[in-house]
Amino acid sequence: MRIDRFQMERTQCRYENEVEYNLSESGVLPITARELLDGEAAQSAFLDIPLKYAESNGSVLLRDHIATWYPGATRDNVLVSIGTSEANYSTFWGLLDPGGRAAIMIPNYLQTWGLARAYAGRADPYRLVEMEENGTRRWGLDVESLHRAVTARTRLILVTNPNNPTGGVLTEAEMAEIIRVARRVGAWIVSDEVYRGAEVGGATLTPTFWGRYDKVIVTSGVSKTFGMPGLRIGWVVAPPRTADHLWSYQDYTTLTPATLSDRLARLALEPARRERLIARARGILQRQLPQIERWIDTHADIFDYIRPRAGAIVLIKYRLPITSARLFERLRVEQSVLITPGAHFGVGKYIRVGYGYDMGKTLAGLARVDTLLAELQGKRQRPAVRAPGSARPRARRLLTVGA
Ligand SMILES: Cc1ncc(COP(=O)(O)O)c(C=O)c1O
C-alpha cells in the first residue's frame, strides 16, 4: 500500500531540532514528570514500577479516567493508543476499505487526509471558511461543501474540533448539521478533539461529539492541552464493539502503551488533576496570546487574522507575492525559524505560528521573521532581535518543498 508523504510532519520531524527557533508547536509548554509525581514517596514508587508490558488497551484506571471526560462513556468505550496519531491511524485503518469514502475537514492536520487516500483510495474535502456573524469574524462550516462531500458511499466524516490550524470551534448548529448529514447516509463521525480543553479566554469547554449520535468515534490524547506530547498517550472513545475491533488493529502496530507513560497519564487525567492541567493551559494562552497579537498588529499592512477560539496557535493570512511553502523554506534556511505554512494544511497564503511555549524565545524568533518580511516588502532591513547568546542565522542550502 502506498501512502502520501505527510508533508507537515515530515518537515517538522526533519527540522524542528535543527533550527534555532521552532515556532511550529501547537500545544502548551510541556510539564515534567516531577510535577506529576508529588513528593518523594510518589517518585520512589514510580521508580519501582516493573517494566513489563502494560495492559494492551490501557490500564483500567487510565481508561476509567479518560471515560469521565465523555458523558455516558465507561472504560469499555476506551482504547488507549500511542498518541492521537495512532488513535486516528487505527480508526481509519479499521473503518475504511477501497469501496468506502471519507469526507475530511479542510484546513486540517492532514494525517487523516493521507490515511483516507491510502485506505479508501480517495479523500473528499469539505471546508471551514472565514465568515462574519454579528460583526464577529470566525472560521465556520461551509455547509454546501459538506453536502457535496458526503455521498451514499461515505463511510466516515472526519471532524477536527477545535480545529488545527484555524483554532475554530464548531457551533451547536454546525455540529447538529454534521450529525444530520452523517445520519442520512449512515456514516461514522470521527472527531479528533485533541485541542479540547485549550480554549482561549476562559471560554467553556468545547462540546464533544460523544453521546450525540450512535456512530461517533472520538480521538484525542495528552499532547496539546495537557502538555505531555512526550508521553505518547492518546485514545479512541467508541462504542464497545468498535473499540474492541480497533484494539485488534493495534496488535499489528504497537501492542501496548509504554508502561511508564500509562502510569503518568493515569496521574495526569485523574479528574481533579485534569482540571488543574486544563486551567494551566488556559492560563498560558491567556497570558501569551496578547503578546503574539501585538506582533501581528505590527504587520497590519500585510496580515489578516481571526482570533483562535482554542489551541496555542495563530493562523495568519498574509499579502505578499510568495507561496507559503516558499516562505516557510526561506524562514528555515535564511533565518533558522520553523513556522508551519498554509500549504501543509490544505490552504494557501497563511502561516501558522505556535505561541504556547517560551514567549521570550517565540518573540525572538518572530524578530527573525520580521527581517525576512521587511526584505520581501522592500523595506530597509531592521536588525533582527536575537535571543541572548544566540548566533547569527546560518544560511542553509535551499531545498524545494512540495505542496
Ligand atoms: C489535530 C491533530 N490530531 C492529532 C495530532 C497528533 O497528536 P499526538 O501527539 O497526540 O499523536 C495532532 C498534532 O499536531 C493534531 O494537530
Side-chain angles (χ1 to χ4, degrees):
M1 182 195 71
R2 286 184 173 276
I3 194 156
D4 294 343
R5 177 177 280 250
F6 184 1
Q7 200 63 256
M8 181 197 139
E9 282 299 346
R10 195 78 311 269
T11 47
Q12 221 170 308
C13 292
R14 192 177 286 278
Y15 301 119
E16 68 189 348
N17 298 310
E18 203 177 275
V19 292
E20 288 170 66
Y21 296 99
N22 177 14
L23 309 185
S24 70
E25 295 289 354
S26 61
V28 295
L29 193 69
I31 62 167
T32 63
R34 192 184 297 279
E35 287 172 78
L36 284 178
L37 296 162
D38 299 324
E40 273 177 37
Q43 285 165 22
S44 149
F46 182 75
L47 293 177
D48 286 332
I49 294 170
L51 297 177
K52 57 179 187 161
Y53 283 117
E55 283 161 84
S56 88
N57 55 341
S59 64
V60 168
L61 203 52
L62 177 56
R63 286 185 288 124
D64 280 346
H65 288 340
I66 293 167
T68 63
W69 216 30
Y70 302 94
T74 72
R75 69 177 70 138
D76 295 335
N77 295 109
V78 179
L79 166 66
V80 174
S81 56
I82 307 298
T84 315
S85 300
E86 190 184 32
N88 287 337
Y89 190 91
S90 306
T91 302
F92 273 58
W93 187 16
L95 291 190
L96 289 177
D97 53 52
R101 286 167 67 159
I104 309 289
M105 180 184 271
I106 298 290
N108 214 328
Y109 180 71
L110 294 181
Q111 180 200 12
T112 47
W113 179 267
L115 289 173
R117 282 174 43 79
Y119 285 104
R122 60 182 285 162
D124 301 315
Y126 70 96
R127 296 188 184 278
L128 292 183
V129 290
E130 298 176 16
M131 48 176 72
E132 189 165 335
E133 268 170 12
N134 310 321
T136 308
R137 292 175 71 212
R138 66 178 195 94
W139 284 89
L141 178 67
D142 176 354
V143 175
E144 289 304 311
S145 72
L146 178 69
H147 291 178
R148 276 196 303 277
V150 176
T151 72
R153 290 173 57 195
T154 302
R155 180 106 167 100
L156 71 86
I157 300 174
L158 183 280
V159 175
T160 300
N161 192 46
N163 177 258
N164 176 14
T166 63
V169 173
L170 295 169
T171 61
E172 284 288 335
E174 289 168 338
M175 292 176 82
E177 182 62 13
I178 293 171
I179 293 166
R180 203 181 64 73
V181 169
R183 200 189 293 281
R184 198 182 66 215
V185 297
W188 286 91
I189 292 175
V190 178
S191 183
D192 180 333
E193 299 178 0
V194 72
Y195 294 93
R196 181 174 181 235
E199 290 81 14
V200 167
T204 49
L205 189 66
T206 301
T208 175
F209 269 91
W210 181 255
R212 290 171 178 247
Y213 164 55
D214 53 352
K215 293 181 81 174
V216 167
I217 297 176
V218 172
T219 59
S220 190
V222 298
S223 295
K224 310 297 177 185
T225 305
F226 300 105
M228 297 182 288
L231 278 195
R232 309 306 304 131
I233 289 285
W235 53 84
V236 173
V237 184
R241 280 187 51 192
T242 310
D244 220 61
H245 171 66
L246 299 179
W247 180 11
S248 72
Y249 280 71
Q250 294 186 179
D251 297 345
Y252 279 100
T253 52
T254 55
L255 282 188
T256 79
T259 302
L260 298 182
S261 293
D262 183 299
R263 183 64 68 98
L264 290 173
R266 204 193 285 179
L267 288 174
L269 297 177
E270 178 275 314
R273 172 97 66 161
R274 179 181 71 213
E275 294 310 311
R276 288 204 293 278
L277 288 172
I278 289 174
R280 171 186 180 270
R282 289 175 172 183
I284 292 173
L285 303 189
Q286 185 129 356
R287 277 194 306 282
Q288 301 192 171
L289 181 59
Q291 299 183 52
I292 197 155
E293 285 186 333
R294 276 198 289 280
W295 176 77
I296 293 171
D297 282 348
T298 64
H299 293 288
D301 52 338
I302 50 165
F303 283 175
D304 183 29
Y305 153 79
I306 296 178
R307 185 174 239 220
R309 306 247 163 137
I313 41 177
V314 285
L315 184 68
I316 304 163
K317 182 150 73 176
Y318 63 86
R319 283 181 297 272
L320 285 172
I322 183 170
T323 65
S324 66
R326 181 78 185 135
L327 183 57
F328 156 83
E329 188 65 359
R330 286 196 62 183
L331 284 169
R332 181 182 75 74
V333 173
E334 297 170 21
Q335 301 296 331
S336 199
V337 173
L338 202 68
I339 51 100
T340 320
H344 288 182
F345 301 105
V347 287
K349 288 186 172 181
Y350 289 84
I351 53 171
R352 191 198 73 176
V353 181
Y355 68 90
Y357 277 48
D358 180 322
M359 210 53 201
K361 202 138 193 237
T362 302
L363 293 173
L366 292 174
R368 294 271 184 94
V369 176
D370 287 342
T371 306
L372 181 60
L373 293 180
E375 190 182 321
L376 290 169
Q377 289 176 278
K379 291 184 183 166
R380 207 164 63 82
Q381 229 168 294
R382 286 167 275 165
V385 180
R386 298 213 175 85
S390 73
R392 280 185 69 79
R394 293 185 299 279
R396 290 206 175 83
R397 196 166 58 84
L398 281 168
L399 291 174
T400 311
V401 176

